[in-house]
Amino acid sequence: MSGFLGVLQRELRLNLSGGGEVLTLVLFFIIVGAIVPFAIGPDQVLLASIAPGIIWIAAFLAMLLGLDRLFRPDRDDGTLALYRLADMSMAGVVAAKVIAHWLTTALPLIIASPFLAMILAMDGPTFARTALSLLLGTPALAAFGAFGAAVTVAIRRGGLLAPILIAPLCVPVLIFGVGAIAPLGGPDQASSAMLFLAALSLMALALSPFAAALAIDWGEE
């Protein structure tokens, strides 16, 4: 447990001292969402109806920006090799990295989402559902992203390939995320979508550390 907490603290410290990377992700998230109204025009009704999808797409794209720094810097400086020789399992190291990745990418986006909600003319109840869906669904995006980063860590310019690999895995998260905010079938469908989001996140968090650890071991052999 002390080893897990040590890796988590190290990852948080490195991510937060990365020269404004967290701020860059937040600004990218807001800019992506803010560009859409210029393309749609002044129709606030239309803008509010598609705002949930815009916020989820913006969050997904922003989280892709941080994938390349999950494992590649550790591989370049030899830290990843030391992790493989440590008493702690590689799956535990990956789990700590996933948690740190979510805390320094997804959580700032959720905190910044009220600004984007105001730009997109979203009402209060819809924004509350949006924040809850992001809180439940973004852990799955972080877990899938860690798997993609692990698969491509040994590949030159693998950071360009990882988003392509994980995009199909993230589609269900986006579908249920939007469905939980703007359901077509009423409150029951929204509740079901929220439950599916939570289930996807739990499943991804449970399986991705082992899958990513296996991918790293294969890539380093």
Side-chain angles (χ1 to χ4, degrees):
M1 190 64 181
S2 60
F4 178 85
L5 293 177
V7 175
L8 179 60
Q9 291 175 357
R10 176 183 180 271
E11 293 299 317
L12 289 174
R13 185 173 63 254
L14 290 176
N15 291 344
L16 294 175
S17 62
E21 291 184 0
V22 175
L23 180 60
T24 301
L25 292 176
V26 171
L27 290 177
F28 179 83
F29 170 69
I30 294 176
I31 289 172
V32 169
I35 287 176
V36 176
F38 292 101
I40 294 178
D43 189 344
Q44 290 193 352
V45 176
L46 175 61
L47 193 60
S49 65
I50 65 174
I54 296 172
I55 289 180
W56 262 101
I57 292 296
F60 171 62
L61 294 177
M63 291 187 68
L64 292 179
L65 295 180
L67 291 184
D68 201 39
R69 60 185 172 89
L70 262 175
F71 299 108
R72 192 168 301 278
D74 287 345
R75 184 177 187 272
D76 293 340
D77 63 15
T79 304
L80 203 58
L82 294 178
Y83 281 149
R84 296 181 66 205
L85 299 175
D87 293 335
M88 184 179 176
S89 67
M90 181 57 68
V93 173
V94 174
K97 283 180 168 288
V98 169
I99 294 174
H101 178 59
W102 184 85
L103 289 173
T104 56
T105 54
L107 187 58
L109 300 183
I110 296 172
I111 295 173
S113 60
F115 299 99
L116 195 53
M118 289 188 293
I119 295 174
L120 298 175
M122 185 179 288
D123 57 60
T126 303
F127 169 70
R129 294 194 300 270
T130 301
L132 180 59
S133 70
L134 289 173
L135 194 62
L136 293 176
T138 48
L141 298 182
F144 291 143
F147 172 69
V151 170
T152 60
V153 67
I155 303 175
R156 181 179 297 179
R157 296 183 180 178
L160 301 176
L161 183 60
I164 299 175
L165 292 178
I166 69 169
L169 298 175
C170 296
V171 169
V173 181
L174 299 177
I175 292 174
F176 288 118
V178 175
I181 305 169
L184 298 177
D188 291 339
Q189 181 179 337
S191 300
S192 299
M194 289 287 187
L195 292 175
F196 273 111
L197 270 182
L200 282 172
S201 291
L202 290 174
M203 181 184 67
L205 290 173
L207 298 179
S208 66
F210 299 98
L214 186 61
I216 291 173
D217 289 338
W218 283 352
E220 296 297 314
E221 290 179 356

